[in-house]
Amino acid sequence: MGSTTLALAGNPNTGKTSLFNLITGSKQHVGNWPGVTVERKEGFFSYDGMDFTLVDLPGIYSLGAASIDEQVASEFLMTAKPKLTITVVDASNLERSLYLVLQMLEAGQSLVVALNMSDIAMNKGIRIDHKKLEEALGVPVVSTVAREKKGINDLIKTVKKRVDAKESEAPLMIPYGETVNQSLEKLAKAISSVALRETGMSRQLAALRLAEGDAVILSVLEKCGEAEHIRTLLDEENERLEQELGYDLLTAVIERRWNFISTLTQKIVERDISLKNELSLSDKIDRIVTHKIWGLPIFLLITWFMFRFTYAIGDPIADYLGGAIAMFGEKVTFLMQNAGLPSLAGSFVADGVIGGVGSVIVFFPHILILFAFIAILEDSGYMARGAFVMDRIMRAIGLHGKSFIPMLMGFGCNVPSIMATRVLERPRDRMITLLVLPFMSCSARLPVYLLIAGAFFGSHAGTVVFSLYVLGIVIAIISAKILGSTLFKGESSQFVMELPPYHLPQVRAVAISAWERAGLFLKKAGTIIFGAVVLVWILGSLPFGVEYGSHESIIGQIGDVIAPILSPAGFGFWQAGVALFFGFLAKEIVVGTLGTLLAGGEEGLAAVLPTLFTPLSAYAFLVMTLLYVPCVAAVAAFKRETNSWKWTFFMVGYTTLIAYGASVLVYQVGRLLGF
């Protein structure tokens, strides 16, 4: 007997991820959704002799398919047809969460509702009558507090019981009223049986989705040649409803659903009005951290401390790791020499593998610590406040506040942050955000920052790294302003964002998040970085007979072509040119290449670099690394998301020009100022 597929759905910030982790434990798999690049999490668990696969759908507010996340969730529910969906509802914000539940019930989905965050609801004086809610919705409701691991067993038991029951679900019928029903019925009759078979929907559900502008059904109607006729009919019905009700069909459907929810919650929710005027702890904290004057300085101070502590904690561990790698390299080289292996093999191990990959791996502790700090900020609820306080700046440059969320994600990796622009509904906002995302300091650049800043700026290294992150944001903001007033003129849409309540970060959730992200760094080091440093070693060893990594080698000749161009920026030596050239494959390779060409490991590099760079030229090199063309994976993601070679080449060209101009400016102005 195979595994039974379940779906996990819910609004963002309802504790869905915590619930997913608790139910599936360590049995999780992360990949991309088939056909698209939205992240897909699957987990596995067994209960009472039955195996389950739990698919974690993107956090969504509705199945209206306004964003790509909503399209993915809607398509999965309609086409994959999971046996049952666990729908996570925020008990402290029931009305908002019920909209998605209603849509799923109208579609005849088999549900179990997890009424999560019941503790927060209680603290707010909100009491929900579970039995009445179950009767009204016709599905089981289980109270859970995922962060305290409460109610999980009851939830799993209820899911198993529901699956065993094998009852087909009757769709929930919302009273839309006679006038609206007439329009829905006309649309339902106009859709052919062929189109219905393609969508897998009932006639009534197809009409409802059509009224909501669902992309899936519109695509099917186009394919069946019915789109024009249906659009004409829809226009006629919209006009009729405008005259009779004062608004169109979509507005009428949404309004009736909210009426239904409002009536329902009045019957099942009791509120302790004595607590109504009391500020919660989250509200009190928000009065400080989202304050219009000191909210932004607090945000900057917190991120500065984050980098400062990353260095303070990471340095001793990295030193120990670096020493262990160097010792390992020496022993391997010694053993190879004693075994009589050719000197070329020794050079490959010492200069290529250990000098290249080792010099990157040594920064793993810093990266793990940084991601742990970011996970703490995310899990505590503060990161959403970061986006909130940045909203004023984003609006000032004509961008949507949501644009800062992909930018924050860009601190981890530019590739998923490029995909995250799908939350932006306006093409103008999305395109501008895509074009400025490469300026955000991804974690791949961090090893370069750590190496150079550590070698040249001593106790101020953390501040120097912080300055680069701020510089990236400043350049992104200026670029967005220019792009928004030239190539993409227009107004941005309004920013609507929910601020989740504060939580004490969970150790397990932080550890999983930090390890998943840092693990990608290790995986890259074992594949892309390893391949690239081997290529650098081969080019540094050819033609045969030249000294390894010398000026006469192929790589030296490549560097000779690039070096004069970089000279005005203060680092016009061929090794720097080659490092930046190969950094296009992955930014960590900048360190790997320097390690391969200049010294066997991070400790050796730190000693050699001051003979090539001054502190000023070193900072100009960091600015170049920060701003120039992102790695090949990010460029590929950009092409995939824009589906345009023209904009891809534009992005590659303008980021590189800005990087070159900024690094030259830093170096030349620095010299004039006497640095």
Side-chain angles (χ1 to χ4, degrees), residues 9-17 88-90 96-97 114 116-117 146 498:
N11 297 171
N13 302 318
T14 53
K16 197 162 65 72
T17 302
V88 188
V89 165
D90 178 358
R96 183 206 62 192
S97 295
N116 201 28
M117 300 187 183
E498 182 190 357

Side-chain angles (χ1 to χ4, degrees), residues 117-126 275 278 280:
M117 300 187 183
S118 304
D119 55 336
I120 297 174
M122 290 285 283
N123 292 337
K124 288 185 174 180
I126 300 171
L275 298 176
E278 288 185 16
S280 67

Side-chain angles (χ1 to χ4, degrees), residues 72-83:
V72 166
S74 182
E75 283 180 27
F76 180 81
L77 291 170
M78 297 312 300
T79 56
K81 296 188 185 302
K83 190 74 177 173

Side-chain angles (χ1 to χ4, degrees), residues 144-162:
T144 60
V145 183
R147 304 186 70 83
E148 296 178 9
K149 304 180 184 177
K150 291 181 180 174
I152 308 305
N153 288 337
D154 287 344
L155 178 64
I156 294 174
K157 196 185 294 181
T158 306
V159 167
K160 172 69 167 48
K161 191 176 172 184
R162 190 77 170 163

